[in-house]
Amino acid sequence: MSGLTDLTIAGARAGLDSGDFSARELAQAHIDAMAQHKALNAFITETPERALADADASDARRAKGESAGPMDGVPIAMKDLFCTEGVRSTAGSHILEPFVPPYESTVSGKLKAGGSVMLGKANLDEFAMGSANITSYFGPVTNPWVAGGGDNRQRVPGGSSGGSAAAVAARIAIAATGTDTGGSIRQPASFCGIVGLKPTYGRCSRWGIVAFASSLDQAGPMTRTVEDAATMLQVMAGHDPKDSTSAPYDTPNFAEKLRAGVKGLKIGVPKEYRVDGMPAEIDRIWHQGADWLRAQGADVVEISLPHTKYALPTYYIIAPAEASSNLARYDGVRYGLRVPGKDLKEMYENTRAEGFGAEVKRRIMIGTYVLSAGYYDAYYLKAQKVRSLILRDFTQAFEQVDAILTPTAPSAAFALGEKQDDPVQMYLNDVFTVPASMAGLPAISVPGGLSDEGLPLGLHLIGKPFDEVTLVQVAQALEEAAGFSARPAGY
Ligand code: GLN
């Protein structure tokens, strides 16, 4: 079970550069793993021929002494929310099931130009709405981790980037792309025992990513080490004139202070995150994380983010509002599925009734309600005001501290079928990740240890806007202290 599929991005690059193996051999090992672990349902569309062609191109470059960058020849999974030219891009939805984009998203295009090898399009919650990867039209994804103690119920991988997280944890892909609107990179990373980095809003272009909530959506890397996350973000990031919210900043070297340690840094622990009913094992890992940073010379201080408790309720106004507007474009005329009707209106209705799943319909209904005349001021506008207060809390906190430490999620991976009948229970999964999304801040989940049942638990760091360099620096220190080497049995 060791060998080529155990490599990190850094390890793969070293092996490729020294000629220990070819990009084709590396791709083939991962294609074999993808075939072997089909039962996880981590992919909606597998693209093995494309992977081999990408790998051959990489080998040809190396033979000429050229390199497309630090991910040249590295096999990755692409979340199926990124439009990929000539490759079906479904967003996990029936309504986009037949959609083959004639264009490439900016981020997937950068990864392609950077020589990475695309294994396939990873499964996700429909339109990235969910926390368990159970709303996908193409079926749920299985978490490769199984709890100890005889409870062998199938666990969810988290969501919405559940296929990406499962593929990286199961050694099918060395890394994967994710997108995060309220936690969809970080929470599945926590559930699957990998690293997930959501950059500052505006760091990566949203152009060509199927839109969920445009003021929140961000692309980011999902990897097995913090160093790999920095490397992959380096390839993905950068200003893009095609996305008006893409930040016009130069991309720093994200790994610049990777091993600089945390001595002298100030880390905030927000008291409001100590929510009622928090499981003891989550509290324990959080304390452990603070102790690890303290032991390495960081100054860990309590901070207050008083509006945090409003982050989740306001997110569930703003995100559905933006989603209802973004999803208006799926009308059976321009993209994907069309279900005929006796006239145009009936065709719209039939297409949308059949094309969208229950969770997406719920969000569209909430969104149109909070945007409707009479309710706009009471809900949407109010939520936007509260959003400003949430941001102000963080701005004030960052006058004192360099980064903030919290747990990533309030639990380890739960069983398939759990929380499924109660949307609010499901939404509560995002309680720790949503505040940073509302404030547009960079944040990362790093594996911290195992739960009592032997499932991974993540630690979450939130950074200052556009300060991914410090975020990665602190995350590296946590990773080293945690020394997380557990892996899902059989992978
Ligand atoms: N789980 C959250 C939701 O359902 C966040 C999803 C995401 O970040 N894409 O909205």
Side-chain angles (χ1 to χ4, degrees):
M1 243 171 318
S2 63
L4 295 181
T5 56
D6 268 340
L7 295 167
T8 57
I9 295 175
R13 188 170 66 223
L16 287 165
D17 286 348
S18 60
D20 295 349
F21 46 82
S22 65
R24 192 183 179 90
E25 286 166 326
L26 188 62
Q28 192 59 56
H30 288 87
I31 292 168
D32 293 347
M34 183 161 68
Q36 192 187 343
H37 302 307
K38 248 188 168 53
L40 293 176
N41 201 26
F43 290 85
I44 292 174
T45 305
E46 297 182 352
T47 57
E49 304 80 17
R50 156 78 187 267
L52 291 174
D54 288 347
D56 287 345
S58 173
D59 284 332
R61 268 190 302 275
R62 266 198 180 79
K64 285 193 280 180
E66 294 167 7
S67 166
M71 289 190 66
D72 201 344
V74 174
I76 60 166
M78 187 70 66
K79 185 177 184 179
D80 205 16
L81 202 64
F82 292 81
C83 286
T84 42
E85 187 180 353
V87 178
R88 184 167 78 123
S89 303
T90 69
S93 183
H94 184 33
I95 212 159
L96 282 176
E97 190 177 3
F99 178 54
V100 179
Y103 45 79
E104 184 82 27
S105 83
T106 297
V107 164
S108 59
K110 279 174 177 279
L111 286 163
K112 195 175 174 189
S116 67
V117 170
M118 189 172 87
L119 295 163
K121 303 297 294 286
N123 204 343
L124 71 159
D125 279 302
E126 187 178 4
F127 285 103
M129 298 174 191
S131 308
N133 213 133
I134 53 172
T135 71
S136 169
Y137 176 71
F138 301 89
V141 175
T142 302
N143 190 327
W145 288 84
V146 178
D151 177 0
N152 43 21
R153 286 178 302 165
Q154 185 178 320
R155 302 287 164 154
V156 302
S160 64
S161 312
S164 298
V168 174
R171 273 73 184 164
I172 299 172
I174 294 185
T177 54
T179 65
D180 190 309
T181 303
S184 278
I185 288 176
R186 295 161 283 159
Q187 184 254 14
S190 177
F191 278 20
C192 290
I194 65 165
V195 174
L197 196 173
K198 180 199 93 81
T200 312
Y201 182 78
R203 184 63 96 184
C204 291
S205 170
R206 290 183 298 108
W207 194 83
I209 301 175
V210 174
F212 165 11
S214 305
S215 75
L216 295 153
D217 299 343
Q218 242 320 275
M222 304 179 77
T223 57
R224 290 196 291 261
T225 66
V226 172
E227 180 180 15
D228 279 2
T231 303
M232 189 168 178
L233 181 59
Q234 205 72 47
V235 180
M236 296 167 73
H239 177 241
D240 177 11
K242 287 195 279 192
D243 170 5
S244 61
T245 60
S246 153
Y249 300 150
D250 290 341
T251 306
N253 173 7
F254 294 115
E256 192 187 327
K257 297 194 198 153
L258 187 70
R259 296 201 165 81
V262 291
K263 208 170 165 62
L265 289 185
K266 258 193 159 167
I267 309 296
V269 171
K271 61 173 192 263
E272 290 80 6
Y273 275 63
R274 233 164 264 131
V275 293
D276 284 347
M278 179 141 86
E281 61 187 14
I282 301 294
D283 204 38
R284 195 179 61 224
I285 194 90
W286 190 13
H287 274 105
Q288 177 71 75
D291 288 346
W292 280 330
L293 293 175
R294 213 177 275 119
Q296 294 181 66
D299 185 10
V300 180
V301 296
E302 185 173 275
I303 58 165
S304 175
L305 299 168
H307 296 92
T308 277
K309 59 177 176 291
Y310 303 116
L312 196 69
T314 45
Y315 170 87
Y316 277 99
I317 292 172
I318 290 169
E322 294 183 12
S324 71
S325 167
N326 274 325
L327 270 55
R329 75 189 72 179
Y330 304 105
D331 56 5
V333 177
R334 284 167 289 188
Y335 309 85
L337 181 77
R338 175 182 300 173
V339 183
K342 67 175 186 308
D343 53 20
L344 184 66
K345 185 158 172 278
E346 202 181 277
M347 187 280 286
Y348 287 160
E349 287 169 357
N350 292 348
T351 299
R352 289 170 68 85
E354 199 177 308
F356 291 135
E359 183 60 29
V360 173
K361 286 178 184 160
R362 181 172 11 251
R363 308 270 180 127
I364 292 173
M365 283 192 285
I366 296 170
T368 42
Y369 178 81
V370 299
L371 289 176
S372 58
Y375 294 108
Y376 181 90
D377 289 355
Y379 291 104
Y380 186 70
L381 204 63
K382 193 69 155 271
Q384 289 290 22
K385 288 180 180 166
V386 175
R387 187 176 185 180
S388 301
L389 296 175
I390 293 166
L391 173 60
R392 201 175 63 187
D393 282 357
F394 278 111
T395 307
Q396 283 169 354
F398 281 126
E399 284 166 13
Q400 283 182 58
V401 299
D402 300 290
I404 293 171
L405 175 73
T406 80
T408 307
S411 74
F414 45 88
L416 185 70
E418 258 183 84
K419 304 182 200 252
Q420 219 153 308
D421 308 326
D422 181 354
V424 175
Q425 271 305 312
M426 192 59 86
Y427 297 168
L428 279 169
N429 266 291
D430 308 320
V431 66
F432 300 138
T433 48
V434 150
S437 302
M438 293 293 273
L441 300 171
I444 189 168
S445 180
V446 178
L450 295 176
S451 73
D452 298 339
E453 290 181 306
L455 294 168
L457 295 174
L459 283 166
H460 185 227
L461 291 163
I462 306 170
K464 294 180 185 175
F466 297 102
D467 190 13
E468 287 87 354
V469 170
T470 307
L471 187 70
V472 161
Q473 178 187 353
V474 181
Q476 175 72 22
L478 269 185
E479 180 179 77
E480 283 172 18
F484 185 84
S485 59
R487 56 193 291 167
Y491 295 92

